[in-house]
Amino acid sequence: EAQVTQNPRYLITVTGKKLTVTCSQNMNHEYMSWYRQDPGLGLRQIYYSMNVEVTDKGDVPEGYKVSRKEKRNFPLILESPSPNQTSLYFCASGLAGYTDTQYFGPGTRLTVL
Amino acid sequence: KNEVEQSPQNLTAQEGEFITINCSYSVGISALHWLQQHPGGGIVSLFMLSSGKKKHGRLIATINIQEKHSSLHITASHPRDSAVYICAVRFGQFYFGTGTSLTVIP
């Protein structure tokens, strides 16, 4: 089944404790992206990757890191999480063209205490 | 600065009504996407438009590139259409509207 998977789905952590949210897709997509969704602000792009070893900042990259060492995986790293990073996070993937559909993962709800 | 504006923010309709959600954007784009997010959070892509009009079942999406405006129409609305509808444009990165929360009452 074609899908984008994210792990964990729910995470409660404390300020400053490094964490990684994994994202994996099985559709051989070049494009992968991370978003956060907050009430009243909607979805905002954190980072995206057009292909292996190519990453670019989105709207809100501060406090986040990403890497794209393999085509199927695009982990999101929070080196020192803070409470303002409490949010619902989505990973998505798609073909590289600007007119291609994105496929979203199920979301990861992160709470930073 | 908000590159994408959606209206209305909230919408309640009776089953069977015709619904329109509007999206205006300020950047030059290659494509506009309409997304649907159901309670419980999952997001699915409904349409990708670069010009004209597309139809899937009871959903119709239109775009006017010159006016930088798109509309999503739902004909013969049904309670299962209750969801948040999100407009997104891609100009390098993606920019999103804040969504329209639709409730269809039986």
Side-chain angles (χ1 to χ4, degrees), chain A residues 3-4 9-10 17 22 27 29-31 47 52-53 55-56 72 75-76 80 82 92 105 107:
Chain A
Q3 59 183 350
V4 179
R9 295 287 313 278
Y10 302 90
K17 187 177 180 182
T22 64
M27 294 169 277
H29 286 159
E30 293 90 3
Y31 183 90
Y47 272 97
V52 176
E53 302 292 1
T55 61
D56 279 297
R72 62 182 291 126
L76 180 69
S80 183
S82 62

Side-chain angles (χ1 to χ4, degrees), chain A residues 1-7 21-34 49-52 67-75 90-96 101-106:
Chain A
E1 181 191 350
Q3 59 183 350
V4 179
T5 56
Q6 293 179 229
N7 282 292
V21 184
T22 64
C23 174
S24 182
Q25 51 93 4
N26 62 1
M27 294 169 277
N28 202 35
H29 286 159
E30 293 90 3
Y31 183 90
M32 295 187 76
S33 183
W34 277 104
S49 168
M50 297 295 286
N51 214 326
V52 176
S67 68
R68 186 93 182 272
K69 293 184 170 48
E70 305 167 281
K71 199 171 187 180
R72 62 182 291 126
N73 296 321
F74 191 45
F90 289 97
C91 178
S93 74
L95 296 172
T101 299
Q102 282 200 103
Y103 298 85
F104 285 81

Side-chain angles (χ1 to χ4, degrees), chain B residues 11 13-14 16-20 58 60 73-77:
Chain B
L11 184 53
Q14 292 287 334
E17 283 186 14
F18 180 85
I19 288 161
T20 296
R58 293 180 295 105
I60 303 166
H73 305 287
I74 305 175
T75 62
S77 59

Side-chain angles (χ1 to χ4, degrees), chain B residues 46-48 54-61:
Chain B
L46 296 175
F47 292 102
M48 187 286 304
K54 284 190 177 179
K55 184 175 190 288
H56 289 158
R58 293 180 295 105
L59 273 58
I60 303 166

